[in-house]
Amino acid sequence: MRKIPLILALLIPSVFGAAPEATGRRLKDIVAKNYPEGQVWIGAAMGSPARLKAGIEEELLRREFNYVIPENEFKQAMVNPKPGLWNWKPADDWMVYCQQQKLTMRLHCPIGPQVSTWPREDDRKPEELATLLDQFMTEVCDRYSGQAQVRWLDVVNETVDPEGNWFGPKPGSGGWENPWPLIGVDTDPNHTPLYISRAFAIATEHAPKLKLIYNQHTALEPASMEKVKETILYLRKKGLRVDGLGWQGHLRYGWHKVPSNLAYLSELIQWCHKNKLEFHITEMNLHLPKQVEANEEQETADAFAAVVRVLLENRNTGVVAWNCWRLTDYTENGGRLGLLFNAEGAPKAAYYAVQHLLENPPTPVAQGK
């Protein structure tokens, strides 16, 4: 296994006091005191240590959370941006940062749409894509699977669209697409793309110490998630290891007010635990209205609380993990995203709603329900 370069100086100096202090206990301290070790995880997906620059979000990450998901630094687009060019420094920097801060990490390096431009070019042959997949997954697993601070590995991501169809390639190379189904499909009734089992086979062999996660997006449409569930069982039938299911959890405004959404979320968690799978919400935030509404802070708090409540109701039957996509409110592609803290790092009602639930968890669902 390759050695991570030794960096003696801290990548990020400690700069406390930038973000206003919340009242009550810190979220990670509540989890450590109130729940058995490893049962409940609370984390955040963040930009690189260099980009955080000891700012408000870096302080909040250290202050509040017990694990982190690097947003982009382990993806193929960052690590292997051009044929024959490998750039491990941003990923290695994360390793050093997590060692220093004693943070657990989930490697977000899935085989999926987040790839460089060149694999999406229309003249790529199946054999080329298969070789690229094999090289990338083998390299990233061999490099990082033995690191003590790494616990999980996202193996695939965004495999199925909201209608339950396999998400695949599109003409050109400038849009959001998934080129990997070009490798071929299996002979099962769902014609499962071969890249999925290929990625899990490499991870099963080369990352024996990591929990292997099947990550998925969409708004939790049953057609999509039922296809994912079938795929996980199919992979296990082939002798491959799948240890957890992740759902990104980018919520539409008002999603939590639809009872069937929360009921299906609970059913999905229970299905995971019955099948010895961890359940992770991997990238949660709330899409806010274009125009600021007077009650949107409370709506954000209610949405976060509703999802965390369902997780905690299912905490006694298996592992549950909850992860924010960043920490402070921000604007992206013209849309506004609501989170736990405002842009200055002050805790919002959503923060206190999550804090209250962690301190006063709901009654767990009965075993086997």
Side-chain angles (χ1 to χ4, degrees):
M1 185 184 69
R2 295 178 176 86
K3 297 290 187 181
I4 302 300
L6 179 62
I7 299 178
L8 297 177
L10 290 177
L11 288 171
I12 299 178
S14 295
V15 180
F16 289 97
E21 187 79 20
T23 60
R25 292 197 292 176
R26 303 288 65 78
L27 302 183
K28 66 179 182 180
D29 296 333
I30 301 171
V31 168
K33 295 293 186 180
N34 287 10
Y35 305 95
E37 184 177 0
Q39 180 191 55
V40 176
W41 293 85
I42 181 165
M46 307 291 288
S48 69
R51 187 152 62 94
L52 290 174
K53 295 180 180 178
I56 288 172
E57 289 212 331
E58 194 272 333
E59 180 189 347
L60 294 172
L61 172 64
R62 286 185 284 109
R63 181 193 292 175
E64 299 286 350
F65 298 94
N66 59 15
Y67 83 104
V68 66
I69 304 172
E71 288 181 9
N72 297 308
E73 286 72 28
F74 290 84
K75 294 177 181 176
Q76 188 273 341
M78 179 74 77
V79 170
N80 190 199
K82 296 180 180 179
L85 176 62
W86 294 84
N87 176 25
W88 295 105
K89 186 180 185 306
D92 287 351
D93 286 350
W94 263 117
M95 286 291 162
V96 175
Y97 176 79
C98 288
Q99 289 169 354
Q100 294 166 348
Q101 303 302 332
K102 296 181 172 56
L103 275 168
T104 300
M105 180 192 294
R106 194 174 90 236
L107 296 184
H108 187 50
C109 55
I111 300 297
Q114 290 84 18
V115 295
S116 305
T117 300
W118 58 279
R120 292 185 270 126
E121 295 170 350
D122 294 345
D123 61 349
R124 291 292 167 195
K125 301 295 189 292
E127 297 79 9
E128 291 179 293
L129 289 170
T131 299
L132 169 59
L133 185 155
D134 292 353
Q135 288 176 340
F136 173 72
M137 283 300 296
T138 302
E139 289 284 336
V140 76
C141 288
D142 286 349
R143 192 176 185 91
Y144 299 119
S145 65
Q147 300 299 315
Q149 69 272 29
V150 181
R151 186 179 180 92
W152 303 279
L153 168 69
D154 287 340
V155 180
V156 296
N157 189 29
E158 301 175 355
T159 60
V160 181
D161 69 17
E163 290 73 40
N165 304 308
W166 297 115
F167 182 43
K170 298 177 182 179
S173 59
W176 186 57
E177 63 172 304
N178 183 14
W180 307 107
L182 290 173
I183 292 174
V185 299
D186 216 333
T187 57
D188 62 302
N190 282 337
H191 301 294
T192 304
L194 289 173
Y195 82 89
I196 298 177
S197 57
R198 197 177 192 108
F200 272 98
I202 293 172
T204 298
E205 178 181 356
H206 289 266
K209 296 182 179 180
L210 301 185
K211 300 286 188 179
L212 306 184
I213 307 299
Y214 192 124
N215 202 13
Q216 181 59 19
H217 65 315
T218 75
L220 212 64
E221 292 89 353
S224 172
M225 297 310 297
E226 294 302 313
K227 186 69 150 291
V228 169
K229 287 161 63 175
E230 292 171 5
T231 306
I232 290 173
L233 296 179
Y234 174 67
L235 293 171
R236 284 182 160 182
K237 194 173 182 178
K238 289 169 68 78
L240 302 175
R241 182 163 56 88
V242 185
D243 300 304
L245 170 61
W247 171 54
Q248 290 185 12
H250 298 293
L251 301 185
R252 297 187 300 261
Y253 200 68
W255 182 90
H256 67 287
K257 294 182 176 180
V258 181
S260 60
N261 288 338
L262 296 174
Y264 186 72
L265 174 60
S266 186
E267 291 171 9
L268 183 61
I269 300 171
Q270 292 166 38
W271 178 88
C272 286
H273 291 172
K274 288 178 183 177
N275 286 281
K276 308 301 182 186
L277 292 161
E278 299 181 0
F279 183 80
H280 294 236
I281 293 179
T282 59
E283 300 180 5
M284 186 172 164
N285 54 20
L286 181 68
H287 291 268
L288 300 173
K290 290 184 178 180
Q291 302 298 323
V292 176
E293 295 186 359
N295 66 334
E296 69 180 34
E297 181 168 347
Q298 187 59 50
E299 287 288 306
T300 305
D302 292 346
F304 275 62
V307 170
V308 173
R309 181 178 293 108
V310 172
L311 281 178
L312 293 178
E313 286 173 345
N314 290 280
R315 67 189 183 276
N316 281 2
T317 53
V319 172
V320 290
W322 181 75
N323 173 74
C324 293
W325 182 255
R326 304 184 189 176
L327 298 177
T328 59
D329 294 347
Y330 69 103
T331 300
E332 184 176 73
N333 299 324
R336 297 188 306 121
L337 287 304
L339 285 152
L340 298 178
F341 304 89
N342 67 19
E344 289 73 42
K348 297 168 48 184
Y351 173 88
Y352 289 112
V354 173
Q355 182 192 65
H356 177 78
L357 276 168
L358 290 172
E359 290 279 25
N360 306 277
T363 301
V365 295
Q367 185 79 26
K369 290 291 184 181

